[in-house]
Amino acid sequence: MRLIIRPNDRYPHLGLDRRPLAIACGEGWLGILHAFFTEADKVMAVGGSFTVLEVMEKKGVLHMHYAIAQIAPDARRAIDDACRLAAARSFHICEVCGRRGRLHTFGDLRKVVCSEHADGELGKGVPFEDPLNAPDPYFPDVDPFIAARPTVTEFDAAPIIEGWLIEEDSEGGRRPWLYGWFFSEPVTRDGEHGHTSPIVQMDDMVPPRWVRTDTRLYRLGMCYPPAEREIRYWAQKLSRRPVPYGERPGGSDDMEAMLAFLRSSGRLRSTKIDRLEQAYREEQGHVNEVGKVRTT
Ligand SMILES: [Zn+2]
């Protein structure tokens, strides 16, 4: 059982309240569910009632039950179509990790998994063509939602971005892109800081492990809270060397030493370092606060 936290904030027209929404499927399908709820929320914005009754994995694929009332026939049709699309997509996405997958049998059990999860906890899966799926007019390779997802082979061969950060155009003209330290990237030298081309699709798992941009797929490494990242960025930049693979940007996890280094370098204004330090302390306070809430 998984939970979608505060679903009413995200989907205000679906009659959900503040309680987490329970779903009985793996988190690899969260992206499919969010795409469905986004579409349903758009349709329900004009009014009517929508009640989620059940979201579950059944015989290996996604099943959703909901009740809708007081809406026009074409609105009902739009939601039913979105539901059928969600079920069709679930045949092609690993329920465990969200990468490209296909239906497998593990003894009596059926599950959609990628090649990595086809040989794991459940034993060795055998690829299986569900007869119900055979006449399916849905073509996954022309659905960008599926086509942008990596296979295990593509994922394993992809360059890595460490310390990544999503950057958005403040004027809203361009799609977001990422900054970070690159490894095994064809254009950027290992351990150098750089940016990607605009994002096409990003892993919906938490934390995300891949991103597809206009030019290529990347694996995503560590990410840091914004103030900590900025201190690491400056400490690394002023050290005038790339990040060695396996090392943290900024050289270590000793943030106090990094702040002291920035002050001693004399290359940043002390007011800027004060601002960075204050933001970092506040960020740490917040992280600790969140940590406390989580443990109680
Ligand atoms: Zn998988």
Side-chain angles (χ1 to χ4, degrees):
M1 188 70 74
R2 319 252 158 211
L3 300 172
I4 295 179
I5 306 295
R6 299 188 72 118
N8 59 325
D9 284 355
R10 207 158 166 176
Y11 309 112
H13 306 111
L14 295 186
L16 298 159
D17 55 28
R18 290 169 61 88
R19 285 174 298 174
L21 179 65
I23 52 168
C25 67
E27 59 191 314
W29 286 353
L30 279 177
I32 305 181
L33 294 175
H34 284 310
F36 168 74
F37 287 132
T38 301
E39 181 61 27
D41 192 61
K42 217 171 3 176
V43 173
M44 295 307 297
V46 294
S49 98
F50 180 97
T51 315
V52 180
L53 301 174
E54 198 171 33
V55 178
M56 65 184 296
E57 174 271 325
K58 194 172 156 194
K59 292 190 178 166
V61 290
L62 178 64
H63 284 258
M64 280 189 286
H65 299 117
Y66 49 85
I68 26 183
Q70 296 144 11
I71 60 166
D74 58 338
R76 178 184 294 270
R77 208 159 31 240
I79 293 182
D80 290 344
D81 284 350
C83 179
R84 264 192 297 277
L85 177 62
R89 284 171 166 171
S90 76
F91 276 95
H92 305 281
I93 296 180
C94 176
E95 193 190 338
V96 182
C97 73
R99 288 177 292 187
R100 293 287 295 255
R102 62 173 298 185
L103 195 59
H104 284 69
T105 55
F106 297 85
D108 293 338
L109 196 76
R110 290 182 194 176
K111 210 169 177 60
V112 178
V113 282
C114 64
S115 58
E116 184 180 317
H117 292 114
D119 190 3
E121 268 174 45
L122 297 169
K124 204 165 170 52
V126 179
F128 176 73
E129 198 64 52
D130 187 335
L132 287 175
N133 193 29
D136 181 359
Y138 169 74
F139 299 103
D141 290 327
V142 295
D143 179 357
F145 184 85
I146 302 289
R149 282 164 196 272
T151 61
V152 169
T153 313
E154 189 190 12
F155 176 86
D156 286 346
I160 300 171
I161 311 178
E162 287 292 344
W164 54 272
L165 171 78
I166 298 175
E167 186 76 355
E168 302 199 33
D169 186 351
S170 55
E171 321 239 298
R174 287 180 293 166
R175 282 178 286 139
W177 63 96
L178 277 94
Y179 279 110
W181 288 270
F182 290 74
F183 293 93
S184 310
E185 216 263 357
V187 184
T188 316
R189 201 152 61 98
D190 268 5
E192 292 286 359
H193 195 264
H195 69 88
T196 68
S197 52
I199 297 172
V200 174
Q201 195 174 338
M202 196 154 167
D203 188 8
D204 8 67
M205 305 266 288
V206 181
R209 291 147 318 136
W210 56 263
V211 63
R212 170 94 57 196
T213 69
D214 282 345
T215 37
R216 61 177 53 82
L217 179 84
Y218 294 94
R219 281 178 284 169
L220 296 174
M222 289 281 293
C223 90
Y224 303 98
E228 177 178 338
R229 188 190 188 280
E230 200 174 346
I231 295 170
R232 288 180 178 279
Y233 170 79
W234 284 108
Q236 191 65 44
K237 189 176 170 72
L238 298 184
S239 75
R240 296 180 176 183
R241 62 182 188 115
V243 179
Y245 185 68
E247 208 175 273
R248 300 289 184 91
S252 69
D253 281 332
D254 189 344
M255 301 308 293
E256 305 302 328
M258 271 179 245
L259 283 164
F261 168 65
L262 295 186
R263 289 192 192 285
S264 69
S265 73
R267 295 186 54 214
L268 291 182
R269 267 196 251 164
S270 61
T271 49
K272 182 181 172 77
I273 303 173
D274 291 345
R275 183 184 60 75
L276 278 177
E277 180 168 357
Q278 194 192 349
Y280 172 68
R281 304 270 177 240
E282 282 168 14
E283 191 172 84
Q284 286 303 295
H286 177 69
V287 168
N288 291 339
E289 227 16 71
V290 172
K292 255 185 250 160
V293 172
R294 274 193 192 136
T295 53
T296 51

